[in-house]
Amino acid sequence: MQMVMSGLARRCGVTGLVIDRSAERLIKFHAVTAVLFLALGGTLALLIALTRWQVVHLLPAKQFYAFLSAHGMVMLIFWILFFEMAGLVFGSTVLLSARMVVPGLGWVAYAMMLGGAVIATGLMVTDRATVMFTSYPPLKAPPLYYASVLVFAVGAILGVVHFFINVVAARMRGDVGSLPLFTFALAGAGIIALWSLISGAVALLPAFLWSAGVIDSIDPGVYRLLYWGLGHGAQQVNLAAMVAVWYGLASLMTGGRPLNEGLSRFAIVLYIFFINMGAMHHLLVDPGLTTWLRNINTSYFMYLAVLGSLIHGFSIPASVELGMRTQGYRKGLFGWLRRAPWGEPGFAALAVSLFLFGVMGGISGVIIGGPQVNMIVHNTLLSPAHFHMTVVAGTTMAFMGLAYYLVPLIFQRQLVLRRWATYQPYIYGAGMVVWGLGTGLAGHWGVPRRHWDISFDRVSTLPTQIFQTTVVDVFMALLGIGAVIAVIGGAMFVTIIVSTVALGQRTATPNLGRVIADAFSSAPAVAGASGEEKEAPVPAHGAFEAPGALVLSLAFLTLFVLLYGFSWFELSTVPWRVR
Amino acid sequence: MAGRFSPLAKPQGTWWSPLGRDERLWVAIAAIWGLGRFLMIAFILPAIGNEQNEIQSYRIDPAEFHRLATEFTEAHQIGEMDGVPVVAPPPGSDIYLEGQQFAWRPVVQLKRGEQYRFLISSRDVQHGFSLVMSRHSLNFQVLPGFVTAIHLTPEQVGEFAVVCNEFCGAGHHVMTGRIIVTD
């Protein structure tokens, strides 16, 4: 209150949250930077996809590899981490109506991240650090490249530390008791981010010294182990942050409340303890590990982290069902689903993201993450197909959905091109499905990833025509066409957000469409609104509260079991015995 | 009775409550499925499958591996293919396969149904050994300074392409090799 009076903060006219103006400024900078990197990464994506689609084969080899390197870094690290940093500041200040402490630290973190990201991107795009996202030694980049990534990583670590300082300070001031689930999930993401960024720094520091000539050599096996602590760890950050956004969108769009708060929080804790093992998935066909380490570690200690995802995968649709049923849509098993706000961009993004992440990204990840099946998958196009379905169709889609509400609220502007926004998630999702099917199937047929020309027409020694078949041509065409559609969807998002920020009508109360505005309020004016105890709605079917979500989840699990079984069958048909 | 709260709002009072019937059922099914996959990967498939991931490995100096691979090639060479030596080692023997920018050497001729131990390493940077038989591939990571050792038994006669599926530099896409399987 005091802060609002002094002008250091404002009270949001829509949500009633108290927004620290310095936090708001920091969120704006991170969000705009993130969207600019997304625009660059998307442009590169289009050029890369149109090169791999052999009919078009757009770029020359050197440029293809340079752009592919830059695309990986810009998208997987820069776009996503800048957006997540915006989310961390939002979750630790705005959502708690709390002040941002040590703003200087936030700005130092931002400046380091920006500086590192710009230099690294510049080096990669100009073919001076064409070592791919992974920069596996002894393939060498100039010292400046490793230095810039290190600066970025340290900046990101400071940003995460800043998040925790803000949360702890808010608790000490008594602004918050239990964290909102959204912020709790972000705290989980923050913990995973800390060890993953530290692991990356530990991998890249020797690489920097080696590149600068201070040390003679660097162990490629150890580098891979440490590097994937960052490489996969960062994706688990995305996962936890995406889950936070899923819960948030479910609440904002339908008034959904988690079926069981404790269970949802427990599932986040499962991520923190067990998901880091995913890092080892990248080493399944590496030398240097024993069979037992591979088998036990990659089965995630009984898949406890996957259990976490399965809990969220049920809990979120269930919370939507609960929200819709509470609103009165109680007809049949799926009446709530039919009447859900499909025309609302946030709900559309939630549905597309949840569905594609689970059905295409999640299942494929568990299947290819097994040490045996991994032998027929490693470094084929099936691997990027998997992680694009998680990080692009899943995380990026969810972040886009959230942005349609947070950008108007934070920038205090009316969302422009609202009609576009209602179609955008479906276009983006459809593009990713086409792309994912083409790319994944091509990978299953053995097509290598990170490869400029699978026709081998220009090869004079031992060329092979193995990929010059109609079926592979069709898959690569799907890859190209799907990418074009997805890039159109991505460009729509960038256009909507950039024009909103630049041209949107200024207003203290932007129209958010059909949302449940009291989803944000912890001190509701009326009894029964969120934040206050609510009577459980009368269960509609027998004793189940969310029978529809349960049926959907069981259908998903059936598909999971079938595809899992199919993958073992496929492995058994390989005409070689391996041991 | 504990309340239910918006994930975007600070929960007040008690939010901890026992699991309801929906959650108990789902968590039980999901946990059983997790346990099933764990048993499958760690115990069942290793006991019954014909395609096992039992990669062995040891460290080696790249120059030493190159010497061994050259000796191996000279000892078993039977001809040339596109200027690349073709070797036909006796069934059951060790096969030295060397990756380098931008080739897999030598071309190997095997007998169907016989087991060979492949010792694969790199002379320079990281490579991806990818034996392609579209619609499938067998893939192993190859690092300089390490030997990736696997036992392979061909079950089908034919010429199999080997490509590189780890980015290894500007000529990555011209890096090929060949394995020939005869009766």
Side-chain angles (χ1 to χ4, degrees):
Chain A
M1 239 333 104
Q2 220 170 5
M3 285 173 59
V4 177
M5 308 274 278
S6 66
L8 292 172
R10 67 177 173 93
R11 185 176 285 282
C12 176
V14 178
T15 63
L17 294 169
V18 177
I19 304 169
D20 181 337
R21 287 196 186 273
S22 67
E24 184 178 67
R25 214 169 303 125
L26 194 55
I27 294 172
K28 285 180 180 175
F29 271 84
H30 275 114
V32 168
T33 312
V35 171
L36 293 178
F37 273 110
L38 180 69
L40 172 63
T43 311
L44 295 171
L46 183 66
L47 298 173
I48 295 161
L50 291 180
T51 306
R52 287 228 61 166
W53 185 7
Q54 294 276 150
V55 177
V56 184
H57 215 226
L58 185 67
L59 300 175
K62 272 176 94 68
Q63 209 156 32
F64 169 75
Y65 290 128
F67 284 7
L68 184 56
S69 299
H71 169 74
M73 212 60 195
V74 164
M75 290 302 222
L76 269 174
I77 300 289
F78 301 149
W79 135 252
I80 274 215
L81 272 171
F82 275 111
F83 194 92
E84 279 163 355
M85 284 301 163
L88 286 182
V89 179
F90 174 79
S92 63
T93 61
V94 178
L95 216 48
L96 309 180
S97 285
R99 196 159 64 80
M100 182 166 79
V101 290
V102 226
L105 181 61
W107 287 107
V108 168
Y110 171 76
M112 289 179 76
M113 285 172 65
L114 183 65
V118 167
I119 293 172
T121 306
L123 288 173
M124 282 188 140
V125 170
T126 54
D127 195 25
R128 277 176 284 187
T130 303
V131 288
M132 297 293 149
F133 169 64
T134 43
S135 59
Y136 291 139
L139 214 56
K140 204 184 265 185
L144 182 60
Y145 172 74
Y146 302 100
S148 61
V149 179
L150 274 168
V151 168
F152 176 89
V154 173
I157 290 172
L158 292 179
V160 177
V161 168
H162 188 220
F163 165 82
F164 283 111
I165 291 177
N166 278 317
V167 170
V168 170
R171 280 196 69 117
M172 284 167 65
R173 283 193 308 270
D175 286 348
V176 61
S178 283
L179 294 175
L181 183 58
F182 184 89
T183 308
F184 183 83
L186 285 184
I191 292 170
I192 303 170
L194 277 185
W195 79 255
S196 102
L197 287 162
I198 290 169
S199 174
V202 173
L204 286 166
L205 185 61
F208 165 70
L209 295 175
W210 162 73
S211 171
V214 180
I215 55 176
D216 285 341
S217 67
I218 180 167
D219 187 310
V222 173
Y223 174 90
R224 286 173 65 86
L225 180 69
L226 290 169
Y227 180 83
W228 282 113
L230 168 75
H232 209 100
Q235 309 325 315
Q236 322 294 19
V237 178
N238 301 338
L239 173 64
M242 173 182 68
V243 166
V245 172
W246 281 350
Y247 278 110
L249 283 176
S251 167
L252 192 59
M253 295 297 121
T254 67
R257 309 277 183 269
L259 218 50
N260 188 298
E261 182 95 26
L263 182 65
S264 294
R265 287 176 190 241
F266 174 70
I268 302 281
V269 175
L270 283 178
Y271 281 168
I272 298 171
F273 280 109
F274 296 102
I275 213 161
N276 47 9
M277 299 178 140
M280 200 71 92
H281 284 165
H282 297 260
L283 314 181
L284 286 179
V285 294
D286 269 31
L289 307 181
T290 65
T291 302
W292 262 100
L293 180 64
R294 266 183 252 271
N295 291 358
I296 297 299
N297 200 87
T298 59
S299 56
Y300 271 142
F301 275 125
M302 306 188 211
Y303 286 98
L304 283 170
V306 178
L307 179 63
S309 283
L310 286 174
I311 289 172
H312 297 307
F314 164 70
S315 180
I316 287 159
S319 85
V320 169
E321 177 168 0
L322 213 59
M324 294 302 291
R325 284 186 189 276
T326 311
Q327 284 182 47
Y329 303 104
R330 300 206 178 95
K331 218 169 164 189
L333 258 186
F334 297 117
W336 59 277
L337 192 61
R338 268 196 303 277
R339 302 297 298 276
W342 294 96
E344 203 38 70
F347 185 81
L350 168 66
V352 168
S353 167
L354 188 64
F355 179 77
L356 293 185
F357 181 93
V359 170
M360 291 182 77
I363 294 180
S364 67
V366 170
I367 287 173
I368 70 180
Q372 296 91 0
V373 172
N374 190 262
M375 294 190 296
I376 58 171
V377 172
H378 180 75
N379 274 355
T380 69
L381 272 181
L382 188 49
S383 143
H386 152 68
F387 72 74
H388 279 74
M389 296 324 285
T390 57
V391 180
V392 185
T395 308
T396 298
M397 183 81 268
F399 287 1
M400 286 171 168
L402 187 68
Y404 290 132
Y405 303 90
L406 288 197
V407 167
L409 286 174
I410 294 290
F411 286 83
Q412 294 185 276
R413 289 185 185 261
Q414 202 67 46
L415 190 72
V416 298
L417 300 168
R418 215 188 133 70
R419 234 182 137 61
W420 280 29
T422 59
Y423 299 121
Q424 189 271 341
Y426 299 111
I427 295 172
Y428 196 63
M432 286 317 293
V433 168
V434 174
W435 184 91
L437 285 175
T439 309
L441 287 167
H444 187 60
W445 258 249
V447 176
R449 68 187 288 201
R450 296 173 166 178
H451 202 282
W452 177 64
D453 182 15
I454 55 166
S455 74
F456 295 95
D457 279 345
R458 295 165 183 78
V459 178
S460 53
T461 310
L462 305 175
T464 174
Q465 265 96 52
I466 190 143
F467 297 123
Q468 298 196 23
T469 58
T470 313
V471 66
V472 172
D473 286 347
V474 169
F475 296 153
M476 299 314 270
L478 289 176
L479 179 160
I481 294 163
V484 171
I485 299 172
V487 168
I488 291 171
M492 287 168 75
F493 169 78
V494 173
T495 311
I496 295 165
I497 295 301
V498 170
S499 357
T500 298
V501 169
L503 310 166
Q505 190 199 336
R506 283 178 192 281
T507 166
T509 53
N511 172 24
L512 294 184
R514 192 184 144 187
V515 299
I516 314 288
D518 78 353
F520 287 104
S521 96
S522 59
V526 286
S530 72
E532 211 162 78
E533 296 199 5
K534 212 173 191 179
E535 276 180 51
V538 187
H541 285 259
F544 288 118
E545 281 187 273
L550 209 51
V551 169
L552 290 177
S553 302
L554 288 171
F556 166 76
L557 200 65
T558 309
L559 179 71
F560 195 165
V561 174
L562 286 175
L563 287 173
Y564 192 74
F566 180 69
S567 77
W568 291 108
F569 168 75
E570 281 296 291
L571 178 67
S572 75
T573 62
V574 170
W576 292 71
R577 281 169 180 271
V578 187
R579 70 171 193 85
Chain B
M1 167 85 195
R4 285 193 169 126
F5 303 94
S6 166
L8 294 169
K10 293 179 256 192
Q12 284 163 355
T14 319
W15 49 261
W16 183 267
S17 60
L19 295 184
R21 194 172 159 194
D22 308 50
E23 303 96 285
R24 277 203 309 272
L25 178 67
W26 178 249
V27 171
I29 294 173
I32 290 168
W33 174 230
L35 190 65
R37 276 170 296 153
F38 171 69
L39 294 176
M40 187 76 185
I41 280 184
F43 301 102
I44 299 173
L45 200 93
I48 62 169
N50 278 337
E51 281 79 21
Q52 298 293 349
N53 183 340
E54 292 172 4
I55 299 166
Q56 292 167 336
S57 55
Y58 54 92
R59 284 178 189 275
I60 195 165
D61 180 51
E64 170 68 4
F65 186 85
H66 180 63
R67 192 184 63 74
L68 291 169
T70 311
E71 260 176 31
F72 163 79
T73 305
E74 282 165 1
H76 301 291
Q77 184 165 356
I78 56 161
E80 270 194 2
M81 199 181 209
D82 289 354
V84 181
V86 179
V87 297
S93 61
D94 285 352
I95 289 170
Y96 289 84
L97 190 71
E98 189 177 36
Q100 57 178 291
Q101 290 171 325
F102 298 100
W104 292 106
R105 296 284 181 272
V107 172
V108 186
Q109 188 176 310
L110 309 175
K111 270 195 132 33
R112 187 166 71 99
E114 300 289 345
Q115 179 178 283
Y116 299 84
R117 184 165 80 135
F118 274 71
L119 301 170
I120 316 175
S121 190
S122 163
R123 202 169 162 180
D124 35 53
V125 299
Q126 302 196 18
H127 297 286
F129 171 85
S130 183
L131 175 63
V132 192
M133 54 209 102
S134 200
R135 151 181 79 92
H136 282 298
S137 60
L138 276 174
N139 310 285
F140 300 97
Q141 192 76 25
V142 178
L143 312 183
F146 289 86
V147 169
T148 304
I150 30 166
H151 293 90
L152 291 177
T153 310
E155 294 170 327
Q156 217 174 67
V157 170
E159 273 197 28
F160 294 90
V162 179
V163 302
C164 177
N165 68 8
E166 184 59 75
F167 176 70
C168 59
H172 168 54
H173 46 273
V174 307
M175 180 165 173
T176 53
R178 189 78 93 238
I179 295 176
I180 303 160
V181 180
T182 59
D183 257 323

